[in-house]
Amino acid sequence: MAEPGHLVLVGMMGSGKTSAGRQVAAALGRPFVDSDEQVEAATGRTVREVFETDGEPAYRVLEREALVSALDGEEPSVVAAAGGVVLDAGNREALRRGATVVWLRARPEVLASRVTRGDHRPLLADDPLGTLTRLTEERRHLYEEVAHHVVDVDEMTSADVAARIVELAPG
Ligand code: S3P
């Protein structure tokens, strides 16, 4: 039987991709890949530093390279994709074709309650709730386009989200 492919978690900042992804990877005995960690390992700089010194477009190139690298991996993995990965049409095509995609969906108020001001996310420097509300509306249709499954995480613990994703995992 063909090996099931990669399991990729998509969703907004604060939706719990990394925390749930780590638990899912452990439960399935698969490698875990975090997109931003890949960027930071490749550049030796934080995401914030890349944004501040090179700008968002340059960061998006690195983000795409991290996703392509993860999807090219031989061993089926659990991938926490960065929140903006769906902005690029090529990324959306690669996700649809090369993985099982689970969208961790949350209301902006819940996201805002989970991100801490001034953390590693430069886009949230000012007015996190306003930014998360705007981006959620702008990106909703993009997440819908790539998702094979949707998990509404507002009322769920990270462990519950992970357990639900394990149920959805292929193979
Ligand atoms: C971003 C999400 C962040 C990070 C960067 C931009 C976005 O990753 O890539 O701050 O545009 O939604 P997480 O989704 O892991 O927080």
Side-chain angles (χ1 to χ4, degrees):
M1 182 179 128
E3 265 299 318
H6 299 294
L7 189 59
V8 180
L9 310 186
V10 300
M12 287 290 296
M13 293 172 267
S15 58
K17 301 183 293 286
T18 298
S19 50
R22 288 191 195 286
Q23 294 173 69
V24 172
L28 297 178
R30 293 187 186 184
F32 174 68
V33 178
D34 180 278
S35 176
D36 279 350
E37 287 176 6
Q38 293 293 98
V39 169
E40 296 185 349
T43 62
R45 292 185 290 160
T46 66
V47 168
R48 176 180 289 280
E49 286 166 346
V50 173
F51 263 78
E52 289 170 352
T53 55
D54 302 349
E56 183 172 346
Y59 167 74
R60 297 300 176 195
V61 171
L62 294 166
E63 180 183 67
R64 181 167 64 248
E65 289 170 354
L67 179 71
V68 168
S69 167
L71 295 182
D72 282 352
E74 285 294 310
E75 190 175 3
S77 302
V78 177
V79 181
V85 74
V86 293
L87 296 171
D88 177 87
N91 288 351
R92 296 197 301 274
E93 172 60 22
L95 285 166
R96 279 299 302 178
R97 198 181 55 244
T100 297
V101 180
V102 182
W103 172 19
L104 304 191
R105 183 167 60 185
R107 289 184 296 107
E109 295 77 8
V110 172
L111 298 172
S113 72
R114 294 180 178 177
V115 296
T116 51
R117 183 182 292 276
D119 75 0
H120 66 284
R121 301 173 173 113
L123 292 178
L124 299 186
D126 311 305
D127 186 16
L129 179 56
T131 301
L132 290 165
T133 301
R134 174 175 58 80
L135 293 179
T136 294
E137 284 316 306
E138 289 174 1
R139 296 176 181 183
R140 185 188 309 280
H141 68 292
L142 302 178
Y143 290 127
E144 284 170 351
E145 178 185 326
V146 302
H148 298 98
H149 305 286
V150 183
V151 179
D152 286 306
V153 303
D154 287 346
E155 312 299 330
M156 296 174 74
T157 66
S158 173
D160 292 342
V161 172
R164 179 66 187 124
I165 296 168
V166 167
E167 291 170 359
L168 296 169

